[in-house]
Amino acid sequence: MMDETFMQLAIEQAQRAEAIDEVPIGAVIVQNGEVIATGYNQREQDQSALAHAELIAIRRANDYLNSWRLEDCTLYVTLEPCPMCAGAIVQSRVKRVVFGAYDPKSGCASTLMNLLDEPSFNHHVQLTSGIREEQCKQLLQNFFKQLRQRKKENKKQIE
């Protein structure tokens, strides 16, 4: 039940991204049942490939704990982490990741590969997937549908 609650908070972060025309992805980091950091996608706003929800949340959790190690933390994210985020999760020693929607194009927590449990790495992350999956997936699908519609309308206006 706690996973559902914290994923709802991640969804609220994703909605903050959507409100500023960012891809709606949100993340929440929890330690001992308490939210210690949040983040949402800000790539367009910051014009930075590094401004993923997970990386923003990890940086904030590091600042909050005054440590790069997030050993007793769970990261909740609305979309399966990409390779960059999966690497950061392993490097920051997050204990557990919970994600909502699977990412068929770049998911590296189970879909394309599982970097969170790569045998060669010295740290392995516990994984729970599919929490509020439909809601997370719908957020993304609606966003991209609206984006395509806006592009189509803009193209018509130019012609």
Side-chain angles (χ1 to χ4, degrees):
M1 196 62 186
M2 293 304 288
D3 285 350
E4 296 277 335
T5 300
F6 290 123
M7 184 59 73
Q8 181 58 43
L9 295 177
I11 289 168
E12 291 169 15
Q13 289 296 307
Q15 291 167 333
R16 291 182 69 185
E18 183 177 38
I20 58 170
D21 284 331
E22 293 279 359
V23 176
I25 302 168
V28 172
I29 297 180
V30 174
Q31 183 185 53
N32 300 323
E34 176 188 345
V35 174
I36 63 166
T38 62
Y40 56 89
N41 194 31
Q42 297 178 40
R43 289 192 312 175
E44 295 297 329
Q45 179 178 306
D46 294 356
Q47 287 300 297
S48 172
L50 302 176
H52 286 210
E54 300 98 318
L55 298 183
I56 292 167
I58 287 170
R59 187 187 73 242
R60 289 176 177 166
N62 294 150
D63 290 346
Y64 179 84
L65 295 173
N66 195 30
S67 175
W68 64 269
R69 290 180 178 90
L70 303 177
E71 295 167 323
D72 296 324
C73 296
T74 298
L75 184 146
Y76 293 84
V77 62
T78 56
L79 183 65
E80 180 181 1
C82 72
M84 176 176 65
C85 292
I89 290 164
V90 170
Q91 290 299 311
S92 63
R93 308 298 194 263
V94 169
K95 181 177 184 176
R96 180 172 175 244
V97 167
V98 179
F99 73 82
Y102 289 86
D103 185 350
K105 294 183 179 180
S106 65
C108 283
S110 65
T111 300
L112 300 178
M113 64 184 68
N114 187 352
L115 292 176
L116 302 181
D117 196 28
E118 169 58 39
S120 312
F121 293 160
N122 64 334
H123 179 73
H124 301 240
V125 181
Q126 298 169 22
L127 181 64
T128 303
S129 57
I131 302 298
R132 294 190 182 248
E133 179 180 3
E134 196 55 42
Q135 193 175 358
C136 293
K137 187 166 61 172
Q138 201 62 51
L139 258 175
L140 289 160
Q141 288 174 341
N142 290 346
F143 175 82
F144 286 112
K145 182 179 179 182
Q146 290 171 5
L147 183 64
R148 285 189 299 275
Q149 186 63 37
R150 283 196 309 259
K151 285 183 179 181
K152 188 177 180 180
E153 289 170 6
N154 288 342
K155 186 177 178 181
K156 283 183 182 180
Q157 289 177 354
I158 293 171
E159 295 172 349

